[in-house]
Amino acid sequence: MKGARVAEPAVRSPDAFAALYDEHFPAIYNYVASRLGRDVADDVAADTFVIALRKHGGYDPERGPVRPWLFGIATRLVAQHRRQETRRYRALARVGREEITDSHENRVINWVRAEGLQPRLAAALAALPRGQRDVLLLSAVAEFSHEEIAQALGISYGTVGSRLSRARQKVRSALGEDNDG
Amino acid sequence: MDDERMIRSLLQEAPPSAEVVAEGRRRLYAAPPRRSRWRVPGLGVAGLGLAAAATAAVFAVTTSGPPPAPVRTTPARPMSARQVLLAAAEKAASEPVGRYWHTHVISGQAYHVAKGDYVIDGARHEIDQWTARSAEDDDVFRSRFAGAIPQTAADRAAWRRAGSPKAWRVLSNGQYIRQTAAAEPWDLVRMTPAEKRGYEKLVARARKQCAGHPRGCPQQELTQAQREALADDPAALRQRLLTTSGKGGPGNVLTQAGDFLAQPGSPKLDAAVFRVLADTPGIRNAGSVTDLRGRAAIALTARSSDATGTFDTQLLLQPGTYRVLGTQTVLVARGRGPETAGMKPGTVYAEQLFLEMGWTDSAPR
């Protein structure tokens, strides 16, 4: 991890920050849109970078790698929209993807829906405590390592592991229940 | 079964539109930061807008009773840079080859005129050339300096207010140079098959002499056969576009690709260039722009910064056909130094616009 830190450039000038924005905006957007939907993601993803620049004065390599730092800010913003997030999962559970997806040409081919698993999966996500959901979605959607999740959320490596295994267990048992029934 | 992959697949949404990306970037430097329209009520954030209230109403309906028809106001999203480039690769692969490769290009550069405060497009060099596919046909090369002109309508208005001067003293690399509105007459050079063979011999001899003494010899251009071989070797093609681009970076790759596509090549090679670009990170579709010739273009864009400022390098493609219209560098934010002094964001700092590029069966006699 030390090596990765050294490689990170100092990003304090506006120009360099614009480059950082260009590089990381799509991934932040994808993460936020996955949790809150596209409409809300437009604002929340943009706010993530405004806050990163304004409140934190840009990126400082001393803070650690840039990606966990940005996703940490995004996760805290997502937390302010908890009701929206729960609504999204409930809607996914109830109506499936077809109804809440706006654009046919952009829709990602979705085998979860095809297999009829989405109601159980979405309901399980909605039921997770926030701490476990943050860890699970940083791992599943942002494809973060344990180390990166720990940095993003400011929690210990061990906590990441225990939250992740508990969250996964709940998701699996939710899927299993429905398979039996 | 991989539960994380299932979750990712369930929640996956389409990537952000170019407008959303541009708006987010704009907000970074807009002061003060705009309050989000989507704050949840009760968090003590002032300025909860009507939009948030309206959304809450929509979702209130959703939670009771059957789901309503989706409420959407987003217009159709433009294609991503990658989608554009893959479409361009497909089009290029089906272009018919002709007897001559014809390019007509005007390149120019922005200069700020202090007296009257406007920008002229100067150092405008125009090249109109036909390169024969066969060694038995003539090559034709016409060129001229086209004369400087005010860059935009606003620049033209400022130029008129300043008395419509026909010559300017402008700063270039820290020195004053003269630019004039008058175009030079065309210069025509024709190379006959015999002259072409003589030139090839000269080049071959120079190569031999240089083989033992790499220093002091100019960098060799690829032969046509070497270029064509790159169509089947994407890694080597990428390397070529990167190494010839100096410092590298997606902006330079776009300019290099523009230059590369302006050389005669098979449709297959052109398609390969587009595919390499499609796999190059850092290129985005900035949407529709109008070039200095007034043509609509899709602008595939990469941003870069140095001490002189932040610039967007753009490869301009014709909507629908994806033919190359040119490359340009647009000023995003000024930096230090005299190069961009007086120029506003949005100024086309340098450009190379193709009025013609493609195969044809006729050349001027």
Side-chain angles (χ1 to χ4, degrees), chain A residues 14 21 38 43 97 140 168, chain B residues 4 10 14 21 27 29 38:
Chain A
Y21 173 92
R38 284 176 62 87
D43 274 337
R97 278 196 64 90
R168 277 192 183 139
Chain B
E4 293 210 345
L10 171 74
V21 177
R27 254 198 246 175
Y29 302 109
W38 299 95

Side-chain angles (χ1 to χ4, degrees), chain A residues 13-18 21-22 25-26 29-30 33-35 37-40 42-44 46-47 49-51 53-54 77 80-84 87-89 91-92 94-95 97 99-103 105-106 108-112 115 117-118 121-122 125 136-137 139-141 143 164 168 171-172 175, chain B residues 1-17 20-43 45 55-56 59-60 62-63 65-74 76-78 83 284 303 305-306 309-310 312 333-335:
Chain A
S13 75
D15 294 350
F17 196 83
Y21 173 92
D22 287 343
F25 185 83
Y29 182 92
N30 176 52
S34 290
R35 297 188 65 168
R38 284 176 62 87
D39 284 351
V40 183
D42 290 356
D43 274 337
V44 172
D47 282 352
F49 288 87
V50 171
I51 286 169
L53 183 62
R54 294 260 154 69
L77 286 177
Q80 295 180 9
H81 298 264
R82 202 191 306 185
R83 276 189 251 174
Q84 165 61 22
R87 271 196 296 267
R88 171 169 164 80
Y89 300 144
L92 280 168
R94 195 168 45 242
V95 303
R97 278 196 64 90
E99 284 81 356
I100 62 158
T101 305
D102 55 331
S103 155
E105 62 274 17
N106 277 313
V108 180
I109 294 162
N110 195 305
W111 56 272
V112 173
E115 295 191 8
L117 296 173
Q118 87 279 2
L121 199 51
L125 287 177
L136 179 63
L137 294 183
S139 174
V141 176
E143 302 184 60
L164 194 55
R168 277 192 183 139
V171 167
R172 279 190 199 131
L175 292 174
Chain B
M1 193 171 295
D2 180 356
D3 45 302
E4 293 210 345
R5 201 151 68 89
M6 284 173 55
I7 292 167
R8 191 157 60 241
S9 172
L10 171 74
L11 300 180
Q12 177 98 62
E13 290 285 346
S17 68
V20 166
V21 177
E23 166 65 15
R25 193 186 300 106
R26 189 196 63 74
R27 254 198 246 175
L28 279 182
Y29 302 109
R34 190 158 72 85
R35 279 289 172 207
S36 166
R37 289 177 290 135
W38 299 95
R39 299 278 180 210
V40 174
L43 286 174
V45 175
T55 314
F59 280 104
T62 313
T63 46
V71 180
R72 290 295 170 184
T73 51
T74 332
R77 276 185 289 282
Q83 286 170 318
R284 67 179 196 278
R303 182 158 292 186
S305 296
D306 60 22
T310 300
D312 274 348
R334 276 202 58 212

Side-chain angles (χ1 to χ4, degrees), chain B residues 147-307:
Chain B
I149 50 172
Q151 187 172 90
T152 65
D155 292 324
R156 198 151 43 243
W159 168 69
R160 282 205 200 92
R161 283 196 298 276
S164 307
K166 296 284 194 287
W168 302 269
R169 240 167 60 90
V170 290
L171 262 180
S172 170
N173 296 323
Q175 293 193 329
Y176 278 100
I177 58 165
R178 193 179 132 87
Q179 287 289 315
T180 160
E184 284 182 355
W186 284 99
D187 176 64
L188 191 146
V189 178
R190 177 182 295 274
M191 273 180 96
T192 64
E195 286 167 334
K196 279 160 68 170
R197 279 192 292 275
Y199 178 75
E200 287 300 323
K201 263 185 208 149
L202 197 76
V203 170
R205 199 160 61 233
R207 282 197 173 163
K208 226 179 248 170
Q209 283 169 353
C210 276
H213 316 83
R215 292 186 66 184
C217 284
Q219 205 205 339
Q220 283 174 12
E221 287 182 21
L222 293 180
T223 66
Q224 199 54 40
Q226 285 171 328
R227 279 168 52 84
E228 288 300 329
L230 293 173
D232 292 317
D233 192 347
L237 179 56
R238 172 184 301 281
Q239 200 53 39
R240 182 76 200 173
L241 293 176
L242 286 169
T243 50
T244 49
S245 64
K247 282 180 288 183
N252 286 326
V253 170
L254 284 174
T255 314
Q256 286 302 325
D259 290 347
F260 201 92
L261 291 166
Q263 307 288 319
S266 67
K268 186 181 167 190
L269 177 61
D270 289 354
V273 171
F274 281 121
R275 275 195 295 272
V276 163
L277 289 182
D279 290 331
T280 302
I283 300 173
R284 67 179 196 278
N285 180 4
S288 187
V289 300
T290 304
D291 73 8
L292 292 182
R293 308 287 299 188
R295 303 175 298 181
I298 302 168
L300 301 176
T301 301
R303 182 158 292 186
S304 60
S305 296
D306 60 22

